[in-house]
């Protein structure tokens, strides 16, 4: 299992966003035909729409998915760490976020400067969450605090990708 966690340590996902954990569920994330592997690069235009996420969890369990950008607005000065991109709760094991409750609508990556990490964190719920108070702002979200507030415990799966601003198309 340590080999699954190592890229998360190298990419500073563990530390900046979540604490050390042991993955117990597999989660697949795809933007179109591109499967997300830790540290891969995705163009923001490819990620404008929500990804296809499949959770191979326990069928009788419910899960919460959080997507954040810990590098907002700039990796060298992340004064808005974390910027929450998406929250879905009550996702059944073996299901997808479309089977859950979208607590915060998806917002695709929009990195203004530098290379940003976009992190999907999956938590196993202890009970159905239903509706919850949305964050007052997408900026300065705290995944650890959110998990603590909803009694979610440590993550059960995490994957991340990198994205940077795409050059504007030049008109000729």
């Amino acid at each position: 299992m340590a080999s699954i966690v190592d890229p998360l340590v190298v990419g500073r996902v563990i530390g900046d966003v979540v604490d050390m954990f042991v993955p117990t569920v597999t989660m697949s994330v795809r933007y179109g035909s591109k499967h997300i592997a830790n540290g891969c690069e995705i163009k923001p235009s490819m990620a404008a729409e929500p990804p296809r996420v499949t959770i191979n969890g326990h069928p009788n369990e419910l899960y919460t998915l959080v997507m954040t950008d810990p590098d907002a607005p700039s990796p060298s000065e992340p004064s808005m760490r974390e910027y929450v991109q998406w929250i879905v709760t009550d996702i059944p094991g073996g299901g997808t976020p479309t089977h859950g409750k979208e607590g915060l609508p998806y917002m695709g990556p929009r990195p203004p400067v530098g290379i940003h990490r976009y992190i999907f964190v999956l938590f196993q719920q202890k009970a159905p969450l239903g509706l919850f108070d949305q964050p007052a702002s997408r900026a300065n979200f705290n995944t650890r605090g959110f998990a603590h507030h909803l009694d979610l415990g440590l993550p059960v799966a995490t994957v991340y990708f990198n994205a940077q601003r795409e050059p504007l198309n030049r008109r000729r």
Side-chain angles (χ1 to χ4, degrees):
M1 285 286 180
S3 65
I4 294 172
V5 176
D6 287 347
L8 301 175
V9 172
V10 172
R12 297 182 339 271
V13 171
I14 291 178
D16 286 353
V17 179
V18 297
D19 295 323
M20 184 65 77
F21 71 98
V22 175
T24 56
V25 172
T26 57
M27 172 174 61
S28 170
V29 179
R30 291 184 172 276
Y31 283 102
S33 62
K34 175 80 171 177
H35 180 264
I36 302 303
N38 284 320
C40 72
E41 183 150 344
I42 297 288
K43 291 181 179 176
S45 58
M46 254 183 94
E49 297 298 318
R52 288 189 327 251
V53 178
T54 305
I55 299 163
N56 296 324
H58 312 285
N60 296 331
E61 300 290 344
L62 295 173
Y63 297 88
T64 292
L65 178 67
V66 175
M67 178 185 175
T68 70
D69 169 5
D71 301 316
S74 159
S76 60
E77 291 188 34
S79 61
M80 292 164 43
R81 176 176 290 166
E82 302 162 42
Y83 196 88
V84 64
Q85 306 288 129
W86 196 25
I87 301 174
V88 184
T89 63
D90 297 335
I91 306 166
T96 68
T98 58
H99 298 115
K101 295 182 177 113
E102 190 172 65
L104 190 66
Y106 180 83
M107 176 183 280
R110 295 181 189 151
V113 64
I115 298 171
H116 288 236
R117 297 165 292 164
Y118 290 88
I119 303 166
F120 294 90
V121 184
L122 186 69
F123 297 94
Q124 184 173 323
Q125 298 172 202
K126 295 179 178 159
L129 295 177
L131 297 176
F132 60 90
D133 292 335
Q134 284 190 353
S137 166
R138 287 182 184 258
N140 301 115
F141 180 80
N142 184 297
T143 299
R144 286 182 187 96
F146 176 79
H148 178 75
H149 178 71
L150 296 178
D151 195 25
L152 296 173
L154 291 172
V156 294
T158 301
V159 67
Y160 79 100
F161 67 91
N162 295 317
Q164 58 186 315
R165 185 176 183 168
E166 292 178 84
L168 298 174
N169 291 336
R170 297 176 193 252
R171 295 182 185 178
R172 295 181 184 211

